[in-house]
Amino acid sequence: MSRLIIISNRLPFSIERSGDEVTVRQSSGGLVSAIKSYFERKDVDSSQYADKIWLGTMDASEEDWKVVNDRGAVPADFKIEPVFTQKEVYDNFYNGFSNSTLWPLFHYFPSIVEYKKECYEDYLKINQQFADRVQEIYQPGDTIWVHDYQLMALPLMIRKKIPDATIGFFLHIPFPSYEIYRLLPTKWKKTILQGILGADLIGFHTYDYVQHFIQSVKMILRVDSQYNTIYYNDRIIKTDLFPIGIDYQKFRQAITDEKVVAICKNLEETFQGKKIIFSVDRLDYTKGISYRLEGFEEFLERHPEWKEKVVFILNIIPSRDVIPTYIERKRKIEEKISTINGKFSSLDWQPLIYRYNHMSFEELCALYQVSDAGLLTPLRDGMNLVAKEYIAGCKDKGVLILSELTGAASELSESILVNPTDCEEVADALATALTMPLSEQRSRLAIMQKRISDYDVVRWLNDFLEQLVSIKKEQEKLKINLLNNTVINEIQNAFHKAGKRCILLDYDGTLTPIQKHPSLAVPSPELIELLSQLSSEDANEIVIISGRDNDTLENWLGKLPVTLVAEHGACIRYKGEEWQQQVSHSPEWKEEVRPLLQLFVTRCAGSFIEEKKNITPIISEKEASYTKNSFLLSAKWVILGITIELLIIDKGTAYTIHFINRSCDHSYKMPAINPIESSKINKAAMKECCISFTLSFDNFKSNPASSIIIIKPTTPKPSTKLSGKIKMKLL
C-alpha cells in the first residue's frame, strides 16, 4: 500500500529552547492548520495510505529534535521527516528569495521586490536538499504532495530523480498575472515554471490563479495547452482550482467547549453593553492592517454615536519580524493604534485593544463567537482561512466584513465585501454590520456555513488526491511504448518478407523538425538520401503527407519516385503522375479576407499568413473536438468516394484506404470508427490488394493515435535489407 508524503517548508510545529527547557508549539498559517486538521480527524478514512509522512525544515538543532522526539512530544498522527539546513543558506532561501522576492511579487508589491542572485541560488540549494531527502525515503507507489511558493523548484527536481513518481503541487498564495510574473529575471522565471511543471497535478485556490499560471507558461515556455491541460515534455499536466477548506466540525464543536464557554463569559462581562469588532492577522504588509485602522478611525469620526459603545480587538500574530520591512511595518501600525486611542478614548473607554502575540485555539474561538463583526481586509490573499474560521465559529450572530481581493471572497459572497484601500467604504461597512438585524445576520451565516461545511478540509484534500490519481491514469493511457528488440525484429522480418509495402510518412515533426516558419522546414540531404533508398525498390510504395502546398512539396521532394499528398489531401501527386486537385473552389473569397488577416499580421509581431490554394472543409459540431489534429483533417480530403460520418481516423488509415480503392477498384464505406477499428479495416482492405506490409509514422504531439500496423505476408518476395541508417530512422 502506498504512503502519502506531504512536503512543506515548515513542519506543523516549532521547537523553542529557553535555557535548559525545550518546548513544542504549533506553527501558525493556513497550510499547517488545514493539513494538520485532516491528519488529526478520527472520522477520516485514510485507509488508502499505509502511512502519512510530513517532511519539512526543522527550526531547531538535531539535538533538540532528538530530545523532543524521545519524550514523545511530537504529534503521533503522522510521521515526521525533518530537513536540517545551514543557517545562512536557509536565511537566504526563506527571508531572502522566498519572502523578499516571491512573496511581494506574487502579492502585487513589485516595488519592494529584491533581486539577489545569492538568494536565488540558495533557494535552489534548499529545494535540492528537499529532493535528496525525498529520494532517501521514497518507496515505489508513494504519493508526493508539495506545498507552496518556497518549494516551487522541487517537483522537477524530484521528477529527475524519480521519473515515475506521482507528484502533486499546490500553491497557497496568489499566482500573479503574467505582466507581474514576467518581472522576474528570465532564468529565474523559467526555472520556477519548469519546476512546478514537474508535478502531475497543479492546484490553485481560484480560477483566476489557474488562468494566470497557464498564461505565464504559454508566454514564457511556449507550451501548448487545452483548457486546464498543459502539454509539456511529452507529458500531460493538469491545473485546476481547489479552494482550500477548514476543519468545520472542529470549530463548531468548540462552541460548547468548557474552556471556550468560560472565555466567552468573561469577555461578555468585560465588554457588557458594547459591540465587539474582532480582527486577527499575521504581521504582514499584504494584510492591509494600516488601511484597516484608517477605516476604523473614519468610522469613529463619521459615527460619533458609537463612542463608548464599540471596541475593536486587534490581535497581530508575530511573523518574519527579523525582516526590515516587517519591523518597520510593526512600528507604523503601533503608532497608528496609539494615535486612534489618544484621539478618541475617554477615562473609562478605549476604542482599540491591541495584542501582539500568539493566540490559543480556545481564545480564538471565543472571540469568533462573541464578536459582532469580523473585520478581515487584506490587500491581497490567496484564500484567507480566518474568514472561513470566523463564519464556522459564529453561533447565532456575527457579520463578516471581507476584502474583495481575497480568494475567499468568491465563496463568501454573503459577507460584506469591500475594497481594503477604501477607508470610507470600510467605515460604511462597519456601520452596516453593527446595525444589521439579527435575522439577516443568521440568514447570511446559514448560507455561508452550509457552503464551507460541504467543502471542508477533508473534501478539499480528497478532491485533490483523487484528481491526482485520475491524471496519472490519463498519462498512463497516453504513455509512449518504446519499441523493444522483439517488436523491432518483427517489423524487420515483416518488411523483408513483404511482397508489397505501403509506408506512410508525415512531414513536419516526423521527417523534419517543427520550425517556427514553414519555409525553414527544408529536407536535409540525409533525408533525401534515406527516402531515395526506400523508394528505389519497386515493392515499396512511399507516401509523404503534408500540410504544405503542392509547389513547395514539388520543389523539395518532386524528384523522388514517391506519392505526395499536399495540403492534407487537397492535392495529390501519385508516383509517376502529375498533380491532381481533389477539390476546386473559386479564389475570389481570399481577396475579401486578405485585408483583415493582413491587419492582424501588422498588429501582431512575428505572425504571418501562410496561403494555400484550397480551403479547409467546415467541420460539424460533433467533429469539432478532433479538428485540432491536422492528421484527422487530412482524411476528409484524401479519401475519395467514402462516406465518413465521424472523423476519428488517423492519416495512415485514410491514405491506405484511398490507395486500395484506386488500385483495386474497391469502395470501402466507412461509418463512425475509432483508431482500433480503422486498424482492422486497414488489414482487411490491404489483403484485398495484396499489400502485405504497411507502416504509418506521425508526430506524436499532433497525432497520438498514429500507429504501426504489421500484416502477415501472403506471397513472400525477395527484398533488400533495411540499412542501419533506415533502422535508426524507424526507431
Side-chain angles (χ1 to χ4, degrees):
M1 187 178 291
S2 65
R3 305 177 304 169
L4 175 62
I5 303 176
I6 297 289
I7 307 175
S8 63
N9 170 54
R10 71 173 77 186
L11 288 168
F13 59 86
S14 59
I15 298 175
E16 297 176 348
R17 173 178 283 277
S18 179
D20 294 333
E21 186 178 356
V22 180
T23 57
V24 177
R25 179 175 59 79
Q26 179 177 325
S27 301
S28 60
L31 164 62
V32 168
S33 61
I35 298 180
K36 188 171 182 292
S37 294
Y38 174 82
F39 282 167
E40 292 174 346
R41 286 274 293 267
K42 303 302 181 185
D43 60 333
V44 173
D45 179 17
S46 56
S47 57
Q48 71 263 40
Y49 298 111
D51 270 317
K52 291 170 285 188
I53 302 169
W54 197 319
L55 187 149
T57 56
M58 175 60 65
D59 59 349
S61 65
E62 294 188 49
E63 293 76 14
D64 287 348
W65 159 249
K66 189 175 186 304
V67 169
V68 170
N69 195 37
D70 289 346
R71 77 181 189 205
V74 297
D77 302 286
F78 45 87
K79 293 182 179 179
I80 294 293
E81 290 289 347
V83 176
F84 297 97
T85 60
Q86 296 179 5
K87 187 178 184 306
E88 184 179 350
V89 175
Y90 184 83
D91 185 63
N92 282 341
F93 153 80
Y94 184 71
N95 294 322
F97 193 75
S98 294
N99 291 318
S100 296
T101 303
L102 296 177
W103 179 270
L105 187 72
F106 280 41
H107 286 85
Y108 294 81
F109 287 85
S111 62
I112 62 173
V113 174
E114 296 179 4
Y115 301 95
K116 295 182 179 180
K117 182 181 178 182
E118 62 272 19
C119 293
Y120 165 74
E121 292 173 346
D122 285 341
Y123 178 86
L124 296 183
K125 285 180 183 177
I126 295 295
N127 275 253
Q128 188 62 58
Q129 192 172 343
F130 269 83
D132 295 340
R133 190 77 182 95
V134 171
Q135 187 178 29
E136 291 173 6
I137 68 171
Y138 179 82
Q139 295 178 8
D142 284 352
T143 296
I144 300 169
W145 192 0
V146 182
H147 289 267
D148 228 359
Y149 64 102
Q150 301 97 340
L151 301 175
M152 290 193 289
L154 180 58
L156 180 60
M157 293 177 176
I158 298 174
R159 178 72 58 200
K160 289 179 177 179
K161 290 176 175 291
I162 315 170
D164 296 328
T166 299
I167 305 172
F169 176 82
F170 193 88
L171 186 67
H172 292 263
I173 65 173
F175 195 92
S177 68
Y178 167 67
E179 291 302 323
I180 291 291
Y181 183 77
R182 69 189 300 193
L183 294 175
L184 285 173
T186 301
K187 182 179 179 181
W188 300 7
K189 61 191 176 191
K190 284 186 176 181
T191 300
I192 289 170
L193 292 180
Q194 290 167 343
I196 295 173
L197 290 175
D200 302 298
L201 176 64
I202 304 165
F204 301 91
H205 287 306
T206 72
Y207 173 81
D208 287 343
Y209 305 160
V210 173
Q211 296 308 308
H212 291 164
F213 176 76
I214 292 175
Q215 175 71 0
S216 292
V217 296
K218 289 176 72 173
M219 296 298 292
I220 295 169
L221 300 181
R222 303 297 180 185
V223 303
D224 293 326
S225 69
Q226 185 174 21
Y227 302 110
N228 288 355
T229 301
I230 296 172
Y231 304 92
Y232 183 68
N233 284 348
D234 297 327
R235 295 171 55 238
I236 58 169
I237 302 158
K238 186 176 180 181
T239 63
D240 214 336
L241 64 114
F242 302 88
I244 190 171
I246 61 169
D247 188 347
Y248 181 79
Q249 293 303 323
K250 180 179 180 180
F251 285 91
R252 296 306 293 174
Q253 292 167 3
I255 292 175
T256 56
D257 182 83
E258 290 183 3
K259 290 183 180 179
V260 175
V261 171
I263 297 172
C264 286
K265 185 177 180 180
N266 183 55
L267 288 169
E268 288 170 347
E269 291 174 355
T270 302
F271 301 108
Q272 187 175 8
K274 296 180 178 64
K275 296 281 189 176
I276 298 174
I277 303 168
F278 177 52
S279 190
V280 58
D281 259 319
R282 287 188 303 103
L283 176 65
D284 197 287
Y285 50 84
T286 66
K287 300 302 181 181
I289 297 174
S290 295
Y291 289 108
R292 202 174 308 180
L293 292 170
E294 289 177 9
F296 180 62
E297 182 180 23
E298 181 74 15
F299 165 75
L300 293 176
E301 288 179 344
R302 294 171 62 176
H303 298 278
E305 68 273 16
W306 283 102
K307 184 177 181 180
E308 300 187 359
K309 295 180 181 179
V310 67
V311 61
F312 181 16
I313 301 175
L314 173 63
N315 196 109
I316 297 180
I317 308 296
S319 174
R320 304 169 189 163
D321 43 15
V322 298
I323 301 177
T325 54
Y326 285 75
I327 297 172
E328 178 64 16
R329 183 66 52 185
K330 179 175 180 288
R331 184 186 65 79
K332 290 182 177 180
I333 288 171
E334 291 174 347
E335 284 182 0
K336 187 64 177 178
I337 291 170
S338 298
T339 299
I340 293 173
N341 280 334
K343 183 177 180 180
F344 295 100
S345 63
S346 61
L347 290 177
D348 54 0
W349 174 66
Q350 181 174 303
L352 209 158
I353 297 175
Y354 165 66
R355 297 181 68 215
Y356 183 74
N357 208 338
H358 295 278
M359 298 186 72
S360 68
F361 176 73
E362 290 76 17
E363 289 176 321
L364 187 64
C365 291
L367 282 164
Y368 287 157
Q369 192 174 153
V370 302
S371 61
D372 297 278
L375 183 59
L376 301 170
T377 55
L379 299 176
R380 187 77 62 166
D381 209 333
M383 175 53 70
N384 197 289
L385 290 181
V386 175
K388 294 186 176 184
E389 291 176 0
Y390 176 81
I391 295 298
C394 289
K395 184 179 180 181
D396 54 7
K397 67 172 184 176
V399 180
L400 175 62
I401 302 170
L402 182 62
S403 166
E404 63 187 8
L405 301 180
T406 63
S410 59
E411 293 183 85
L412 305 178
S413 55
E414 289 76 19
S415 60
I416 301 177
L417 299 179
V418 297
N419 184 317
T421 64
D422 190 337
C423 300
E424 293 183 356
E425 187 177 20
V426 172
D428 291 341
L430 284 169
T432 301
L434 296 179
T435 57
M436 184 179 290
L438 194 58
S439 59
E440 185 179 350
Q441 293 183 39
R442 291 173 178 172
S443 175
R444 291 182 181 223
L445 283 172
I447 296 171
M448 291 187 283
Q449 287 174 346
K450 174 68 166 60
R451 191 175 297 135
I452 63 176
S453 65
D454 287 344
Y455 200 89
D456 63 357
V457 65
V458 175
R459 178 78 177 273
W460 167 75
L461 197 143
N462 287 335
D463 187 12
F464 186 93
L465 294 176
E466 287 169 5
Q467 289 297 317
L468 182 55
V469 171
S470 176
I471 190 64
K472 289 302 288 186
K473 290 180 179 178
E474 191 172 344
Q475 288 176 350
E476 195 64 30
K477 290 179 182 178
L478 298 177
K479 189 175 181 180
I480 300 175
N481 294 317
L482 299 177
L483 299 181
N484 56 35
N485 289 332
T486 302
V487 176
I488 293 172
N489 290 334
E490 185 180 355
I491 292 174
Q492 288 180 317
N493 290 335
F495 182 90
H496 297 155
K497 295 176 181 179
K500 194 170 185 179
R501 315 180 190 100
C502 180
I503 301 175
L504 305 155
L505 302 170
D506 173 47
Y507 189 77
D508 290 285
T510 303
L511 296 181
T512 62
I514 297 291
Q515 300 289 352
K516 289 185 177 180
H517 196 282
S519 62
L520 300 176
V522 180
S524 65
E526 292 80 10
L527 174 61
I528 297 297
E529 174 61 24
L530 174 65
L531 293 173
S532 297
Q533 290 183 41
L534 284 172
S535 58
S536 62
E537 188 170 347
D538 293 338
N540 293 343
E541 174 77 15
I542 309 299
V543 183
I544 299 173
I545 312 173
S546 172
R548 307 290 175 203
D549 62 86
N550 60 306
D551 291 336
T552 300
L553 288 184
E554 182 68 29
N555 182 41
W556 288 349
L557 306 169
K559 295 182 179 179
L560 295 172
V562 300
T563 295
L564 298 176
V565 180
E567 297 187 27
H568 299 302
C571 193
I572 299 177
R573 192 207 72 174
Y574 296 102
K575 182 171 67 174
E577 299 182 14
E578 298 297 321
W579 284 97
Q580 300 176 21
Q581 289 290 132
Q582 306 301 309
V583 292
S584 179
H585 293 279
S586 174
E588 284 81 7
W589 65 272
K590 292 185 179 181
E591 299 309 316
E592 296 181 20
V593 301
R594 191 188 306 277
L596 178 61
L597 295 177
Q598 190 59 54
L599 179 62
F600 279 95
V601 169
T602 304
R603 292 176 179 175
C604 304
S607 62
F608 60 90
I609 298 173
E610 182 181 5
E611 184 173 348
K612 299 182 180 181
K613 294 180 180 178
N614 302 285
I615 62 173
T616 301
I618 297 175
I619 305 299
S620 67
E621 183 178 352
K622 68 178 182 178
E623 296 169 334
S625 60
Y626 303 99
T627 60
K628 195 172 181 181
N629 189 330
S630 62
F631 253 11
L632 302 180
L633 283 175
S634 68
K636 199 78 171 181
W637 292 122
V638 174
I639 304 173
L640 298 178
I642 295 180
T643 301
I644 301 179
E645 296 178 4
L646 185 59
L647 193 58
I648 320 179
I649 78 170
D650 61 60
K651 184 189 258 179
T653 301
Y655 183 79
T656 301
I657 294 176
H658 173 62
F659 174 74
I660 294 165
N661 286 345
R662 186 172 184 272
S663 302
C664 305
D665 195 27
H666 285 284
S667 181
Y668 285 88
K669 300 297 180 182
M670 198 158 53
I673 60 173
N674 57 40
I676 296 175
E677 292 300 318
S678 71
S679 172
K680 295 177 182 178
I681 292 175
N682 259 341
K683 294 178 181 180
M686 287 185 297
K687 286 181 179 179
E688 293 283 346
C689 204
C690 300
I691 297 176
S692 53
F693 181 90
T694 181
L695 213 52
S696 174
F697 288 93
D698 186 18
N699 169 21
F700 173 78
K701 286 187 177 180
S702 69
N703 187 28
S706 190
S707 58
I708 295 177
I709 304 165
I710 303 169
I711 303 300
K712 187 176 180 180
T714 53
T715 309
K717 292 185 179 180
S719 173
T720 58
K721 285 189 175 183
L722 280 171
S723 69
K725 189 173 183 180
I726 295 176
K727 178 181 176 182
M728 289 177 63
K729 290 289 182 179
L730 290 175
L731 295 179

